[in-house]
Amino acid sequence: MLLDEDPATLIHHTIGNFNIQPDKLALGRINESLSTLQQARDLRVREAESALKKLARNFSTLQSHHSETVSSHNAADHASQILSLDTQKFRIAKTASDLEIEGERLEQELEGLKGKLQELEMQGVEGGEGERGKRELEDETLLKLKVYRSLGIDIESDNAGNYNKAVIRNDKKGDVHVVNIDPKFSRFFYANYFWQTMA
């Protein structure tokens, strides 16, 4: 046999080494962020409503006091108080507008996060088609390298990504051989040489 172990066993071990736990944790964090964001938004809306009710009560009280005391004030005092009330009214309206804009922004952000979560769920733990194809190509190379390494052969690549050097370790003899791979020799030649070196 070419391999010391059954290929099906090697493939099973390789599949077992895949780690989808980070993706599952990422999905958990996204769900937790969505929940936290919703809770924060609800809290801010409740606080804003409470503040608006309090300000409305204050405004109503001021208006009532103004009505009761308008006769005892001269025109200048009356105009000043009206101006103050108008300023406060404007501030209340601006606060309400800002809170409404913030609420809309948070809703849009929440919808965006929901969309991302749905996209991740549709892609599954393996990602989209492009990512899956790229991963399959990388997995094929990694599987070959793991098989070589299990036989005591480390393959090294140059700066261009071409595998042009092999380090062969023979634990039985305690030998280490470094082989520079030249394209002019066939794969059959190197396969025989590797087996002879490991024997």
Side-chain angles (χ1 to χ4, degrees):
M1 288 182 61
L2 181 62
L3 303 175
D4 291 337
E5 296 185 48
D6 182 39
T9 303
L10 289 174
I11 293 173
H12 178 72
H13 289 166
T14 301
I15 293 174
N17 288 331
F18 289 156
N19 184 12
I20 63 171
Q21 189 63 24
D23 292 334
K24 293 170 68 177
L25 292 175
L27 290 175
R29 287 194 298 272
I30 289 174
N31 283 329
E32 184 178 353
S33 297
L34 288 174
S35 177
T36 302
L37 182 62
Q38 183 63 40
Q39 291 176 3
R41 179 183 177 278
D42 292 342
L43 179 60
R44 293 190 67 174
V45 169
R46 287 196 298 270
E47 289 175 349
E49 290 176 348
S50 177
L52 284 174
K53 289 179 181 179
K54 183 178 180 180
L55 290 173
R57 287 195 299 268
N58 291 340
F59 182 71
S60 177
T61 300
L62 289 173
Q63 277 188 322
S64 176
H65 288 190
H66 172 72
S67 299
E68 293 175 356
T69 58
V70 67
S71 58
S72 61
H73 289 76
N74 57 33
D77 291 338
H78 177 72
S80 176
Q81 191 172 6
I82 291 298
L83 180 61
S84 176
L85 290 173
D86 285 342
T87 300
Q88 188 174 4
K89 181 179 179 181
F90 173 77
R91 288 176 180 171
I92 293 172
K94 185 177 183 304
T95 301
S97 176
D98 291 343
L99 289 172
E100 184 177 355
I101 292 173
E102 179 65 13
E104 291 176 357
R105 187 189 69 80
L106 290 173
E107 285 182 357
Q108 291 176 356
E109 187 175 346
L110 178 61
E111 289 300 321
L113 289 173
K114 286 181 178 178
K116 289 181 180 179
L117 176 61
Q118 184 177 5
E119 182 180 348
L120 287 173
E121 289 176 345
M122 289 176 61
Q123 289 180 355
V125 296
E126 295 183 357
E129 291 295 330
E131 289 295 325
R132 190 177 298 111
K134 180 180 178 183
R135 189 179 296 111
E136 287 175 355
L137 182 60
E138 292 176 352
D139 290 346
E140 179 181 351
T141 303
L142 288 175
L143 180 58
K144 289 180 180 178
L145 292 175
K146 285 183 179 180
V147 171
Y148 287 134
R149 193 171 292 116
S150 69
L151 296 173
I153 304 173
D154 288 328
I155 307 296
E156 298 180 2
S157 60
D158 57 14
N159 294 332
N162 299 317
Y163 295 99
N164 59 359
K165 184 183 290 185
V167 180
I168 307 172
R169 293 179 175 82
N170 190 328
D171 294 335
K172 295 179 181 178
K173 297 181 180 180
D175 293 338
V176 176
H177 296 274
V178 178
V179 181
N180 292 317
I181 300 175
D182 193 329
K184 69 181 180 181
F185 294 108
S186 68
R187 294 184 180 182
F188 179 75
F189 168 78
Y190 282 113
N192 284 337
Y193 182 78
F194 288 172
W195 282 116
Q196 291 173 6
T197 304
M198 290 185 298

